[in-house]
Amino acid sequence: MSLENEKSSIKQQSISDYAKEVKHIDNTAADVKLLNPLVGIPHDQLMEDGSAFAKSHGLADLEEEFRKGALVAQDPTAFESLTQLSEEDKYVLRRELTHRWAQPAQLYYLVILCSLAAAVQGMDESVINGANLFFPDQLGIPQQGPNASNNQWLLGLVNGAPYLCCGLIGCWISAPMNKYFGRRGTIFISAFISFVTCIWQGLTNTWWHLFIARFILGFGIGPKSTTVPVYAAECAPPAIRGALVMMWQMWTAFGIMLGTVMSLAFFRVHDTAHVHGLNWRLMLASAGIPALIIMTQVYLCPESPRWLIGKGRYDKAFESLLRLRKSKLQAARDLYYIHVLLETEREIQTGRSLFLELFTVPRNRRATLASTIVMFMQQFCGINVIAYYSSNIFAQANFTQIQALIASWGFGMINWVFAFPAVWTIDTFGRRNLLLTTFPLMAVFLLLTGFAFYVPEENNARIGVVALGIYLFAMAYSPGEGPVPFTYSAEAFPLYIRDVGMSWATSVLWFFNFIVAITFPRLLGAFQPQGAFGWYAGWNIIGFLLVLLFLPETKALSLEELDQVFSVPTHVHASYQLKALPHNIKKYFFRMKVDPLPPLYEHEALEGEKHYAPGGSGHA
């Protein structure tokens, strides 16, 4: 036996041995059908199918592109062996894998639009931070005095009003809005609502009127937060999907920082003869300006190709993909593959409520569980406690009002800047690894912040340690639990149920955002800062365990591999991770030589760890 044959034999035997230990995957009929439906079809038949598709959907002039596109869609990484492709075709496809950031300008324009939509979101969340220093006294709910306990609940209710609306109503109207108005139309309508209600907030004169205005704001926040990440995921190539979708959170962080800038800008604005509290009114209204810009720009971007196909508008979907891809071949490949997947998904739909299928179909149920965990923990890790109430927290640490706002601006700036590393790590280091690394750090830094309040008030060290703890917490949060939840939720669900799944995920996020907002003022009053921060530090430890046991990795995986990942039974995944934890501690912390663990998924046994996904938006 030659040396080359011997190596091949050893490799095949190794794969075979591994395959015996790969855990059983309980594919239901739905799970199996959602694997790449083109696998196993002969090349001649594929080309004929591609030709027939082009003719039957008004794209006959592109018949040759669709013949080749159907071939490539069967296995987007095996194009080098296809004799039907020209060298120019192979160069384009090869460059797609080797130069993943070389994308059309239109794609980046779309990303900028989505980023600005995220900044609107962040401003909506944070302008209330500076306003909290002023409006409670003016609107009759002072935080000190005989009615402090009751007023603390009312302040939390006002601050959390938009997220109560999002959790109960706002996110759930996203699916019908997307169905009838498309991704762009939903973004336009939600931006309009955000603009109007931000101005409305600044015109209120009672706490309950402010509550109503902020509750209606939830109809702008909810659909926008549900739609924009999905829109980006459906338009982005898979190799950079995570990095582009995570722009939502990075620019939300920018919006949070910008909101504190507005609070500082309007802090010293004096009242006029007829307007009392002009400074906090301008703070709240300022969040509406970016929303106005969104409204003027959104229709300059292409509509989601997936949504257009769902409406039978294949010619428009191809035009949209041409604006988002480098070549007609890539656009034809993606259009054909999305079409095939949607046709397959229509066959497997049971006619039951899509909402019920989130919990009754095993593959969907595991995606729902994982998305619920990351969305819930984004709130209970403690970040929005600081985003909404950092000015109050710094004031309790003996900062002056202007010092508290400047310190809050520092928090917002760090929260934004430290999201940048995730652009490069979320698709390489991975979503799951980012969370497992940062949750313990966030717990430690919240404990540091809380314990700093034991430092005597007359000692200036308290101010420094409180600020240090909050800033270090932001540094740990921003590359982990900041960008991961929306990225993960936007890609975890199959295409046919993605709108409903994302509605569920964002409703969980915003409902628990409301819980955090309404409870923290009273929690701070009852437990003092030490107990309040200790409470959220404990939740970060719980978050680490939940991610360890129940969160599969999704980085750089195609749709068929994601279906395989989410088809692994929950108890099998949890059991495997309990074995992997001590193994990885020995390997990476103590640098010990340990035997490799058998792979959990079949694609790991056959290919090893992946660092890019096959091309095609159908894989998103």
Side-chain angles (χ1 to χ4, degrees), residues 164-208:
L164 176 63
C165 176
C166 287
L168 297 180
I169 309 171
C171 292
W172 294 108
I173 65 173
S174 175
M177 286 180 69
N178 275 275
K179 179 179 179 180
Y180 292 109
F181 303 114
R183 310 297 190 220
R184 297 181 305 174
T186 301
I187 294 170
F188 177 88
I189 293 169
S190 58
F192 174 77
I193 294 172
S194 292
F195 171 71
V196 171
T197 50
C198 284
I199 303 301
W200 182 6
Q201 287 181 101
L203 303 176
T204 57
N205 282 309
T206 62
W207 71 263
W208 54 265

Side-chain angles (χ1 to χ4, degrees), residues 118-250:
V120 173
Q121 200 91 359
M123 285 193 70
D124 287 341
E125 293 180 43
S126 71
V127 288
I128 197 70
N129 193 326
N132 277 335
L133 295 173
F134 304 103
F135 79 78
D137 289 337
Q138 181 180 335
L139 301 186
I141 50 173
Q143 300 300 288
Q144 304 294 330
N147 295 321
S149 176
N150 183 61
N151 291 343
Q152 287 164 357
W153 284 109
L154 292 178
L155 176 62
L157 183 65
V158 170
N159 286 347
Y163 318 115
L164 176 63
C165 176
C166 287
L168 297 180
I169 309 171
C171 292
W172 294 108
I173 65 173
S174 175
M177 286 180 69
N178 275 275
K179 179 179 179 180
Y180 292 109
F181 303 114
R183 310 297 190 220
R184 297 181 305 174
T186 301
I187 294 170
F188 177 88
I189 293 169
S190 58
F192 174 77
I193 294 172
S194 292
F195 171 71
V196 171
T197 50
C198 284
I199 303 301
W200 182 6
Q201 287 181 101
L203 303 176
T204 57
N205 282 309
T206 62
W207 71 263
W208 54 265
H209 190 188
L210 181 57
F211 167 81
I212 294 172
R214 288 182 58 75
F215 186 87
I216 301 300
L217 177 61
F219 289 102
I221 292 178
K224 181 154 47 69
S225 65
T226 303
T227 302
V228 173
V230 171
Y231 180 44
E234 290 178 345
C235 293
I240 56 173
R241 182 185 67 224
L244 295 189
V245 177
M246 71 139 287
M247 294 290 180
W248 169 263
Q249 182 58 36
M250 187 172 76

Side-chain angles (χ1 to χ4, degrees), residues 207-523:
W207 71 263
W208 54 265
H209 190 188
L210 181 57
F211 167 81
I212 294 172
R214 288 182 58 75
F215 186 87
I216 301 300
L217 177 61
F219 289 102
I221 292 178
K224 181 154 47 69
S225 65
T226 303
T227 302
V228 173
V230 171
Y231 180 44
E234 290 178 345
C235 293
I240 56 173
R241 182 185 67 224
L244 295 189
V245 177
M246 71 139 287
M247 294 290 180
W248 169 263
Q249 182 58 36
M250 187 172 76
W251 292 97
T252 296
F254 175 79
I256 290 174
M257 183 273 294
L258 192 60
T260 60
V261 170
M262 293 298 101
S263 295
L264 282 167
F266 296 124
F267 179 82
R268 297 193 185 280
V269 171
H270 298 294
D271 295 346
T272 67
H274 303 289
V275 180
H276 186 38
L278 183 59
N279 53 358
W280 66 263
R281 297 177 187 280
L282 290 172
M283 292 175 191
L284 295 180
S286 65
I289 304 305
L292 187 61
I293 299 173
I294 288 288
M295 293 162 57
T296 64
Q297 298 295 310
V298 65
Y299 281 104
L300 299 179
C301 290
E303 182 55 90
S304 161
R306 190 267 183 190
W307 184 84
L308 290 168
I309 291 175
K311 294 296 182 181
R313 298 160 62 181
Y314 286 83
D315 55 338
K316 296 298 183 183
F318 185 77
E319 291 176 9
S320 179
L321 279 167
L322 272 182
R323 295 171 66 183
L324 298 168
R325 299 293 183 266
K326 285 282 191 177
S327 70
K328 290 183 178 180
L329 174 59
Q330 290 168 305
R333 173 201 63 192
D334 293 358
L335 182 68
Y336 183 71
Y337 190 60
I338 298 171
H339 162 76
V340 170
L341 283 175
L342 288 175
E343 289 299 308
T344 303
E345 288 170 355
R346 289 190 185 103
E347 292 176 11
I348 68 170
Q349 289 183 31
T350 62
R352 293 177 299 182
S353 163
L354 291 181
F355 177 76
L356 292 179
E357 290 200 10
L358 287 177
F359 307 97
T360 56
V361 176
R363 182 259 185 265
N364 296 343
R365 184 169 61 243
R366 295 178 193 113
T368 302
L369 173 63
S371 297
T372 300
I373 288 171
V374 291
M375 289 300 207
F376 169 79
M377 285 309 308
Q378 189 176 73
Q379 301 310 312
F380 269 68
C381 72
I383 185 64
N384 281 331
V385 164
I386 300 171
Y388 301 151
Y389 298 109
S390 62
S391 297
N392 304 63
I393 294 166
F394 285 125
Q396 286 205 21
N398 292 333
F399 285 65
T400 65
Q401 285 187 334
I402 191 66
Q403 286 174 335
L405 284 176
I406 293 173
S408 296
W409 172 82
F411 158 75
M413 177 61 75
I414 288 173
N415 188 26
W416 176 51
V417 169
F418 277 83
F420 279 93
V423 175
W424 291 274
T425 57
I426 197 166
D427 286 318
T428 53
F429 189 54
R431 288 83 154 133
R432 174 184 161 86
N433 287 335
L434 283 171
L435 295 180
L436 291 176
T437 303
T438 54
F439 267 123
L441 294 175
M442 289 192 289
V444 170
F445 297 143
L446 283 180
L447 288 174
L448 172 65
T449 305
F451 289 164
F453 283 86
Y454 283 118
V455 177
E457 289 187 19
E458 61 274 8
N459 191 332
N460 288 331
R462 175 195 281 195
I463 292 177
V465 179
V466 168
L468 175 66
I470 287 177
Y471 290 171
L472 289 174
F473 172 81
M475 291 178 189
Y477 166 84
S478 294
E481 188 59 20
V484 168
F486 275 98
T487 303
Y488 196 98
S489 300
E491 67 191 3
F493 298 97
L495 289 174
Y496 85 98
I497 205 169
R498 183 173 290 165
D499 286 347
V500 178
M502 195 61 181
S503 295
W504 165 264
T506 50
S507 69
V508 169
L509 175 93
W510 294 122
F511 177 75
F512 284 104
N513 189 319
F514 166 72
I515 296 299
V516 167
I518 193 174
T519 57
F520 189 72
R522 187 66 201 120
L523 188 68

Side-chain angles (χ1 to χ4, degrees), residues 85-101:
L85 301 183
S86 67
E87 278 304 312
E88 182 180 354
D89 293 332
K90 292 181 180 180
Y91 172 78
V92 170
L93 296 174
R94 192 181 302 124
R95 187 173 175 81
E96 181 181 45
L97 299 180
T98 58
H99 296 73
R100 60 179 187 152
W101 291 102

